[in-house]
Amino acid sequence: MSLGAFIRRLFGPYEREISEGYRSIYIDIDSFVELMRDWAPDATRILEVGCGEGAVTERLAAAYPNARITAIDITARVGRLYRGPRERVEFVRCDVHRVASAEPAAYDLVVLSDVLHHVPTELRQGLIDSIRATLAPGGSFVFKDWERTFTPIHWLCYASDRWVTGDRISYLSREQMRVRLASSFGHSALVAEARVRPWRNNIATLVRPERTTLP
């Protein structure tokens, strides 16, 4: 257990509220999900990769009341703090490669939010390739991560992320993010980009490939 996870458990019944407050220092999740709703308003089958304890999942369930959502993570605490509807949301402890194998081309919206900087460099492209394999024809992939910059808020984010998770994190520049995405989907598939408040470091990219299955 990381030091951050141990301290969070000391918060007891207030853990969820404190976690929400901590997260809001760096990203407005409601604004992020509102952006996704604008980009992919008609999604009915959603896959969230690296859902963690369910903060984004909970907003997705509210924003897409007619969608079925599968939220996956490799952590044992998958969906632990989720408080939304359960009848159309499923939390599964697995990786995206398993989903790509079992349910190819099954999802019309796939979300990867603040996950890639936790993934070892040599595994990143394979993860994005597997996400492409899960997309249904005409589907949308929303990628969001924290941009590496030389600013005080970036170093604060790095320090707190490293301390809370215990992971050896590595952030990307905006151009590195785009290269990663283009390597799997092609440059023409990167159709929109937005900054998510409160910090410009939060970059969301809408990826909509013409072909949604791997060659």
Side-chain angles (χ1 to χ4, degrees):
M1 179 185 295
S2 69
L3 178 60
F6 172 74
I7 292 175
R8 288 176 62 187
R9 286 189 179 274
L10 297 180
F11 296 146
Y14 304 105
E15 181 187 0
R16 185 174 184 275
E17 289 72 18
I18 293 173
S19 296
E20 288 279 324
Y22 163 78
R23 194 174 288 108
S24 69
I25 296 171
Y26 300 105
I27 182 171
D28 184 334
I29 299 178
D30 294 309
S31 293
F32 174 49
V33 173
E34 183 179 344
L35 175 66
M36 283 194 278
R37 181 72 175 164
D38 290 340
W39 279 349
D42 301 320
T44 58
R45 287 209 67 191
I46 300 173
L47 173 67
E48 184 187 358
V49 179
C51 66
E53 294 174 330
V56 173
T57 320
E58 190 168 318
R59 271 77 166 192
L60 285 170
Y64 292 91
N66 298 316
R68 298 196 65 82
I69 301 172
T70 300
I72 65 171
D73 205 304
I74 61 173
T75 178
R77 62 182 186 272
V78 56
R80 189 171 63 89
L81 298 181
Y82 175 82
R83 298 294 183 270
R86 290 281 180 175
E87 65 276 5
R88 54 188 177 82
V89 177
E90 181 183 15
F91 288 97
V92 183
R93 188 182 182 186
C94 71
D95 61 37
V96 69
H97 310 300
R98 176 177 151 189
V99 178
S101 177
E103 299 182 279
Y107 295 91
D108 51 13
L109 174 60
V110 180
V111 180
L112 183 72
S113 173
D114 288 322
V115 172
L116 199 64
H117 60 266
H118 291 277
V119 177
T121 302
E122 67 274 13
L123 302 179
R124 291 177 180 181
Q125 206 62 53
L127 183 150
I128 297 172
D129 286 346
S130 290
I131 284 175
R132 180 177 177 179
T134 68
L135 275 178
S140 299
F141 169 39
V142 175
F143 169 82
K144 187 267 161 191
D145 215 301
W146 180 270
E147 178 186 17
R148 185 182 69 239
T149 59
F150 297 98
T151 59
I153 188 59
H154 172 70
W155 297 117
L156 178 62
C157 180
Y158 175 86
S160 60
D161 207 357
R162 178 76 175 86
W163 174 69
V164 167
T165 66
D167 294 345
R168 294 185 177 276
I169 56 176
S170 174
Y171 296 99
L172 285 75
S173 67
R174 174 182 176 274
E175 184 57 31
Q176 288 172 325
M177 294 180 199
R178 294 181 66 84
V179 167
R180 286 284 184 188
L181 296 173
S183 293
S184 291
F185 294 94
H187 287 284
S188 63
L190 281 56
V191 297
E193 182 180 281
R195 304 279 179 163
V196 182
R197 64 189 184 193
W199 303 103
R200 286 183 55 79
N201 300 68
N202 292 305
I203 301 180
T205 305
L206 173 61
V207 183
R208 192 169 285 152
E210 294 181 5
R211 299 194 321 165
T212 52
T213 55
L214 288 172

